[in-house]
Amino acid sequence: MKETEIKSIIDRETYKKVKQSFNWEKVIKQENHYYTDKDGLLREKRIMVRVRVIDDTAKLQVKLHKNSDSPIQICEENQYDIDGVPDKIDEDTAEKISGFKTELYRMGSAVTVRRTINKNGSELCLDKTTYFDKTDYEVEVEYEDKMSADLFMKITELGVKFDKSSIGKFTRFLEEYNKHWVSECVK
């Protein structure tokens, strides 16, 4: 499935303004458990592997990022049924989902509270994500052909800016993971 979205990291005050400005259709809590390989092949090829858990349902998801250096992110995303959250994904499964025959190891997880609403063919997502000892806030607008101009105008009036390259949750998670990994190794 092709996914097109525009996203922006926002501060806590902008998050509150956006949260109060819409009647959200859904509020869900999701856990994203991220995986990597020892040689960094997935990262090099811009492939992200996670197990997403919502309620008691787990899905193995793979995203291949198609572009970079833009607030608009275009990805090829696939998902598979999986039982639970494994610490390791075997070589055969990794090859099936990513094209690389390598074991994948669970790095950790992030918890996101996501609010969503659909407007004129666009889905507005407001996320509050916590990982390690950090919390960040993000607005995403997912769409197929065109983004809703009315929705875009309303969220920009609330202070959301789409003027920078988007940094996804996995990249932000990875930055914190590396900080924690280095600090643990130094101790």
Side-chain angles (χ1 to χ4, degrees), residues 2-185:
K2 182 178 172 186
E3 177 183 84
T4 303
E5 61 189 11
I6 188 167
K7 50 175 69 179
S8 179
I9 306 298
I10 56 175
D11 62 30
R12 189 170 187 225
E13 292 308 310
T14 304
Y15 172 84
K16 287 179 184 178
K17 280 196 275 186
V18 174
K19 182 179 171 186
Q20 294 167 354
S21 297
F22 292 93
N23 293 319
W24 300 98
E25 295 167 354
K26 287 189 212 171
V27 179
I28 60 168
K29 180 180 174 183
Q30 61 190 29
E31 294 175 28
N32 289 317
H33 299 266
Y34 295 110
Y35 292 81
T36 191
D37 61 290
K38 286 183 178 177
D39 297 325
L41 294 172
L42 297 183
R43 185 88 175 122
E44 180 183 310
K45 298 295 183 184
R46 304 192 65 219
I47 298 171
M48 186 272 307
V49 176
R50 70 181 171 213
V51 173
R52 175 170 281 172
V53 179
I54 300 174
D55 296 324
D56 290 329
T57 304
K59 295 287 184 182
L60 176 60
Q61 299 178 328
V62 181
K63 270 189 174 186
L64 171 59
H65 293 65
K66 301 279 190 174
N67 68 326
S68 61
D69 299 326
S70 171
I72 297 173
Q73 190 173 78
I74 301 170
C75 299
E76 183 69 33
E77 184 172 331
N78 294 299
Q79 73 176 13
Y80 309 88
D81 292 328
I82 191 169
D83 293 325
V85 180
D87 286 329
K88 183 169 71 170
I89 296 173
D90 65 80
E91 288 181 348
D92 291 336
T93 302
E95 184 177 33
K96 175 183 157 193
I97 64 171
S98 73
F100 295 100
K101 192 169 181 92
T102 181
E103 290 182 326
L104 304 179
Y105 300 92
R106 185 179 169 279
M107 302 169 66
S109 64
V111 176
T112 299
V113 175
R114 171 169 276 192
R115 290 172 162 69
T116 60
I117 187 170
N118 287 292
K119 293 275 188 191
N120 303 325
S122 297
E123 182 181 49
L124 173 63
C125 304
L126 180 65
D127 293 346
K128 176 182 177 182
T129 302
T130 304
Y131 44 99
F132 301 104
D133 56 357
K134 183 172 183 152
T135 299
D136 63 33
Y137 307 92
E138 178 179 34
V139 168
E140 293 181 11
V141 181
E142 297 180 6
Y143 57 97
E144 286 191 31
D145 295 322
K146 294 181 188 175
M147 183 185 349
S148 164
D150 293 340
L151 180 61
F152 184 78
M153 285 177 46
K154 181 164 184 171
I155 58 178
T156 55
E157 287 170 1
L158 293 169
V160 177
K161 296 178 181 161
F162 298 101
D163 57 353
K164 298 179 187 173
S165 177
S166 66
I167 299 172
K169 286 178 186 65
F170 177 64
T171 300
R172 298 191 315 266
F173 170 86
L174 193 57
E175 288 172 2
E176 288 301 308
Y177 174 86
N178 288 333
K179 287 178 192 174
H180 281 66
W181 180 254
V182 169
S183 67
E184 287 298 314
C185 290

